[in-house]
Amino acid sequence: MDRWSLRTKLVALAVLAFLPVLFLSGWRTWHDARLAYAHRSEAAAMVAERAAGRQRELIEGSRRLLITACTDDAVQAALQADVTAADLERCEGYLAQLLQRFPADYSTLVVTDDKGLGRCASARSARGMSFADREIFKSVQRSRAFTVGSHIASRITPRTVIPVALPIVHDGQFRGMC
């Protein structure tokens, strides 16, 4: 160090004096970046929870709607072997009226028989349409429980839908899907 010039000694002293400041500045930058990451993660979790909550609400609401709709006398009459045109009209009118209360949440309400043929629906075009090849029908028929399907193209409306279905069971026998 004796051979160093005065300028070199002053630069070395200045560097040593600024090392704690540089260290603190680096640590503070790292800490701020971690804090910002934590805030972003927390905000993303809140948004995801809000979206999941809305989905849970829709699923539970759909389950309750289907329980109510499927047990209605008009729907039950449409599944009888001796169904009349008036019974089908009453069922379709009931489902259409029910659907009008939730236009932003549901596109169509359909009731099928045990073979998957549409017996009555909120859209008249679904009557006689086969849903037997749909995964939701197979799943409901197999599980005999409320089921939520995957996104599919609707056969009745121009939208992509997430089907939810409830089995119609009488005396332990699968009678259809609502």
Side-chain angles (χ1 to χ4, degrees), residues 3-159:
R3 292 187 183 155
W4 289 7
S5 69
L6 183 58
R7 184 180 302 170
T8 305
K9 289 178 185 177
L10 287 174
V11 169
L13 184 61
V15 167
L16 284 174
F18 281 113
L19 274 178
V21 172
L22 290 173
F23 172 76
L24 285 174
S25 176
W27 177 82
R28 182 66 184 187
T29 301
W30 175 83
H31 181 0
D32 289 347
R34 294 287 301 158
L35 196 58
Y37 176 77
H39 286 303
R40 281 192 308 272
S41 295
E42 188 177 306
M46 284 179 20
V47 167
E49 180 57 35
R50 198 172 293 144
R54 172 76 172 132
Q55 291 300 319
R56 277 192 299 274
E57 180 182 306
L58 276 172
I59 289 170
E60 181 57 23
S62 298
R63 187 183 72 78
R64 290 178 181 193
L65 175 75
L66 288 177
I67 288 171
T68 302
C70 293
T71 57
D72 188 76
D73 292 338
V75 172
Q76 294 297 316
L79 290 172
Q80 300 302 320
D82 58 345
V83 65
T84 65
D87 290 334
L88 292 175
E89 290 292 326
R90 196 176 79 175
C91 177
E92 288 177 346
Y94 171 72
L95 294 179
Q97 181 183 21
L98 193 58
L99 187 66
Q100 286 175 355
R101 294 182 183 154
F102 309 100
D105 296 327
Y106 305 106
S107 62
T108 309
L109 290 169
V110 178
V111 177
T112 71
D113 63 11
D114 59 337
K115 306 274 190 280
L117 290 177
R119 293 297 289 260
C120 76
S122 59
R124 189 174 294 251
S125 62
R127 192 189 298 179
M129 189 179 288
S130 177
F131 295 90
D133 63 333
R134 292 291 188 158
E135 189 59 38
I136 190 78
F137 180 80
K138 294 173 186 175
S139 179
V140 167
Q141 188 178 36
R142 187 175 45 253
S143 71
R144 296 191 182 179
F146 175 75
T147 304
V148 179
S150 301
H151 279 274
I152 59 171
S154 174
R155 290 183 180 164
I156 301 167
T157 66
R159 299 188 218 173

